[in-house]
Amino acid sequence: MDFNDPMLALSSWIGQVSFLIGDFGLGLLWRFIHIVVTLCHIVSGIFEAVESYAISLGLIQKYSSIDIEKLKCLAVVVDIEAARDVSKVVELLQWLTTIGVKQVGLFDSQGLLKKSKDMILEMVPRSVLLQETGEKDTSGIALEFISSSDNKEAVVKAANILFQKYLKSRHPGKDEGENVFTETHLNEALRVVGESVHVPDLLLVYGPVRSHLGFPAWRLRYTEIVHMGSLKYMRYGSLLKAIHKFTGVRQNYGV
Amino acid sequence: MREHVGKSSKLFNGFTSIMRRFIFKVLCVGPIPNHISFIMDGNRRFAKKHNLQGPDAGHRAGFVSVTYVLQYCQEIGVPYVTLYAFGIDNFKREPEEVKCMMDLMLEKIELTIDQAISGNLKDLKVIFAGDLNLLNERLKVAAQSLMELTEQNRGLVAVVIVAYSTSHEIVQAIRESCVRKCVDGDSPLVLEMSDVEECMYTSIVPDPDLVIRSGGIDRLSNFMTWQSSRSLLHTTAALWPELGLWHLVWAILKFQRMHDYLQKKKKQKLD
């Protein structure tokens, strides 16, 4: 028997054990880092909650007056689980009415809020559907209900309208046809299929993460996107702060 | 003395490299984003903050960040990275600044071509996406050369987005899909979503898992709003040239915390 065989086996065994401990150690370290990150989020959440209550009580001067005229169109994205609790959505809308917001687009990916539209309109004082107000000034709040079907599907429907225009405008011997492929034409086509093309100034996301969750891409171009946390634990002060921060934003639109 | 300083510097670099790789090894215990998009904002503010002279000074500093970010993503094992380098709206800037940015891009592409030829790119594949017809001829040709040179590379795919906006992309994708439908006589004259999506500039990469914007701004600025339905949007106050290792690590840690939720959203029918 070769003396090297057991040595090689031992060396390999040590290597494997070291490898395993290394992996286990790395895993522990990773979990520890995430515990620290979570603690940081908890602490920052506590500070935000305290600040929010201070804002609600009017203790922080700068939030006592907001130039709400700057906020022409607000959109709210609600996570599906939160959208099932219509009462919280109604409460949020009541807060927005108090602040003076005139136009709100409510989005959830599966259209649960669309289905509860009548209930919401009934429960929110002086609220009307945006389509019914048009450009008329209203003392209340104009609501729009949006879902994922108003995103890519709607663009494809509008694209087919442009396609038909393109086919009609093609002349024999000239492949290109009229240029119906401009942003203006797409806006028009989206209106024809019943979509709003208003670009929200501010998008508030109520859910676990900062993600627009499929809000109509065509309308999201220069929108400020703010994560508000869970709808269940929403705070009036945080809402005021987000809107106030928006009113201080200066956009240069890439220029 | 110089030799001593050089040796210490090498030792220090070696030590930081080992530490960095160790940090990445720990990070990789958890899920890593398949595709990270970067909105590289803040170059001009950086130049102003540090009193740098010249209209492209901030952008030159920004390019250094690009090299580090690509290196880190490569070491972490992120398969796709998208860099929003120049938007269509940016053409509205002062002509002198636009020219400087185009010249800088050309300079850096030519530098990268040299590195590709000398085999220093570490298997990096570079793709340019956007309306490249809006670029000047020389830049277009250089971009094309770099893409051809790195086409066979199988490492990190770095997509440089230039002359782009989501609205322009959607309109051009519709136009292109209409033309293709007409050319293809067999299929019915109705556009499907897949027809439009496969004509998009960014159809070459999967949707981003994580979109990181530097410069403290909370907007997407007409960047990949179509593709980012299920992306975690992360903003950092650091200006792009200031973006470093810890900003990237923090963003990925945040992604890992939210990974289960994001996966759930991907499985739900959003579109």
Side-chain angles (χ1 to χ4, degrees):
Chain A
M1 189 174 142
D2 196 329
F3 178 71
N4 283 327
D5 280 340
M7 292 309 296
L8 275 169
L10 182 63
S11 162
S12 164
W13 182 82
I14 290 171
Q16 280 175 10
V17 169
S18 307
F19 180 74
L20 275 171
I21 289 172
D23 263 7
F24 181 68
L26 284 175
L28 271 183
L29 199 45
W30 181 81
R31 276 163 187 73
F32 174 73
I33 287 170
H34 272 282
I35 289 170
V36 170
V37 169
T38 302
L39 283 172
C40 289
H41 279 283
I42 289 171
V43 167
S44 123
I46 291 170
F47 276 111
E48 276 171 23
V50 168
E51 189 192 22
S52 171
Y53 286 122
I55 294 170
S56 309
L57 294 171
L59 298 175
I60 304 181
Q61 273 302 104
K62 72 175 180 178
Y63 299 110
S64 53
S65 73
I66 293 177
D67 182 10
I68 203 67
E69 294 304 315
K70 271 190 155 183
L71 182 57
K72 303 263 184 290
C73 177
L74 172 72
V76 175
V77 166
V78 177
D79 182 61
I80 300 168
E81 274 69 39
R84 296 181 211 281
D85 186 358
V86 175
S87 62
K88 291 305 279 186
V89 174
V90 167
E91 190 181 352
L92 174 65
L93 290 170
Q94 286 167 345
W95 286 354
L96 290 169
T97 311
T98 308
I99 294 170
V101 176
K102 294 289 184 206
Q103 187 180 327
V104 177
L106 286 170
F107 172 89
D108 73 279
S109 58
Q110 292 188 355
L112 298 176
L113 295 176
K114 257 186 193 173
K115 290 175 188 158
S116 310
K117 169 172 76 176
D118 293 333
M119 191 195 324
I120 292 171
L121 286 165
E122 210 177 286
M123 291 171 74
V124 177
R126 292 173 293 135
S127 62
V128 290
L129 266 183
L130 180 67
Q131 294 96 302
E132 287 165 15
T133 62
E135 297 301 321
K136 273 193 317 199
D137 203 7
T138 170
S139 58
I141 192 165
L143 301 180
E144 186 192 357
F145 294 87
I146 314 163
S147 68
S148 290
S149 62
D150 302 302
N151 186 13
K152 297 182 182 181
E153 273 174 45
V155 169
V156 173
K157 282 185 195 162
N160 276 299
I161 291 179
L162 295 184
F163 190 23
Q164 294 309 312
K165 277 191 178 165
Y166 171 69
L167 291 171
K168 280 183 193 153
S169 71
R170 284 172 79 208
H171 301 295
K174 186 184 174 191
D175 291 322
E176 289 302 313
E178 178 197 326
N179 183 20
V180 296
F181 303 109
T182 65
E183 293 183 25
T184 311
H185 284 102
L186 183 54
N187 267 340
E188 252 175 60
L190 281 164
R191 285 194 191 101
V192 166
V193 299
E195 295 298 330
S196 167
V197 294
H198 286 123
V199 175
D201 303 300
L202 176 62
L203 182 86
L204 302 178
V205 180
Y206 283 94
V209 305
R210 184 165 171 258
S211 171
H212 62 79
L213 298 179
F215 189 90
W218 185 250
R219 299 172 63 180
L220 208 48
R221 294 168 263 175
Y222 300 105
T223 306
E224 295 281 322
I225 302 172
V226 178
H227 182 220
M228 302 298 290
S230 152
L231 186 69
K232 192 175 170 191
Y233 303 113
M234 64 180 186
R235 293 182 291 265
Y236 184 70
S238 302
L239 181 63
L240 269 182
K241 184 181 174 186
I243 294 176
H244 182 270
K245 188 184 172 194
F246 164 76
T247 59
V249 159
R250 192 189 73 87
Q251 282 223 36
N252 61 10
Y253 297 100
V255 178
Chain B
M1 176 69 175
R2 264 188 221 150
E3 205 179 289
H4 179 70
V5 167
K7 229 177 176 176
S8 305
S9 171
K10 269 188 187 161
L11 266 171
F12 180 73
N13 286 339
F15 175 71
T16 52
S17 176
I18 290 170
M19 282 309 296
R20 188 177 70 243
R21 284 171 198 273
F22 177 71
I23 289 163
F24 290 163
K25 213 163 167 131
V26 174
L27 201 61
C28 288
V29 169
I32 295 298
N34 187 49
H35 175 189
I36 304 179
S37 286
F38 292 93
I39 301 176
M40 305 188 291
D41 191 26
N43 290 337
R44 293 189 297 178
R45 279 176 279 162
F46 180 85
K48 199 173 171 181
K49 187 173 164 184
H50 295 274
N51 293 318
L52 302 177
Q53 298 304 315
D56 65 349
H59 302 297
R60 284 188 179 277
F63 183 76
V64 176
S65 259
V66 167
T67 57
Y68 280 117
V69 161
L70 289 178
Q71 180 189 342
Y72 298 154
C73 288
Q74 207 160 30
E75 288 175 4
I76 291 168
V78 177
Y80 298 94
V81 165
T82 305
L83 302 160
Y84 192 20
F86 194 86
I88 283 184
D89 288 333
N90 296 151
F91 278 113
K92 295 175 195 163
R93 291 183 179 181
E94 291 293 329
E96 193 199 336
E97 186 185 347
V98 174
K99 184 179 181 306
C100 273
M101 288 174 77
M102 293 294 132
D103 290 345
L104 178 64
M105 252 195 282
L106 178 62
E107 180 193 314
K108 296 306 176 190
I109 290 173
E110 286 174 346
L111 175 72
T112 314
I113 288 173
D114 290 340
Q115 287 185 320
I117 291 169
S118 52
N120 287 335
L121 272 194
K122 289 186 193 167
D123 231 14
L124 178 72
K125 181 173 178 174
V126 182
I127 301 175
F128 288 86
D131 193 347
L132 302 187
N133 291 322
L134 296 178
L135 303 177
N136 65 59
E137 198 56 37
R138 219 177 136 197
L139 185 51
K140 213 164 63 168
V141 165
Q144 197 57 43
S145 304
L146 183 53
M147 284 197 279
E148 282 164 16
L149 268 172
T150 60
E151 199 177 354
Q152 302 304 319
N153 291 353
R154 290 290 168 261
L156 169 67
V157 176
V159 182
V160 183
I161 309 265
V162 289
Y164 173 93
S165 70
T166 288
S167 37
H168 188 76
E169 178 181 43
I170 291 172
V171 169
Q172 292 308 310
I174 293 172
R175 189 192 67 82
E176 181 63 29
S177 53
C178 289
V179 169
R180 283 190 197 182
K181 273 284 174 179
C182 289
V183 165
D184 174 14
D186 293 333
S187 51
L189 293 177
V190 176
L191 292 176
E192 304 291 337
M193 201 180 308
S194 54
D195 296 322
V196 176
E197 284 189 321
E198 72 191 22
C199 293
M200 290 193 161
Y201 300 133
T202 47
S203 61
I204 38 169
V205 286
D207 291 347
D209 298 300
L210 175 59
V211 178
I212 299 175
R213 179 166 187 155
S214 59
I217 306 290
D218 290 326
R219 302 183 286 275
L220 286 172
S221 294
N222 219 342
F223 176 69
M224 292 181 97
T225 58
W226 181 280
Q227 295 84 349
S228 55
S229 300
R230 287 153 259 188
S231 308
L232 172 62
L233 309 176
H234 177 73
T235 299
T236 173
L239 303 173
W240 178 252
E242 295 166 349
L243 196 97
L245 173 70
W246 295 111
H247 300 106
L248 183 60
V249 167
W250 182 251
I252 293 177
L253 284 171
K254 213 167 151 178
F255 168 80
Q256 290 178 340
R257 282 186 79 233
M258 295 294 129
H259 182 254
D260 288 346
Y261 174 83
L262 292 167
Q263 285 299 106
K264 201 169 92 174
K265 288 295 140 187
K266 277 188 180 171
K267 285 177 186 148
Q268 280 169 1
K269 209 175 168 195
L270 286 186
D271 300 314

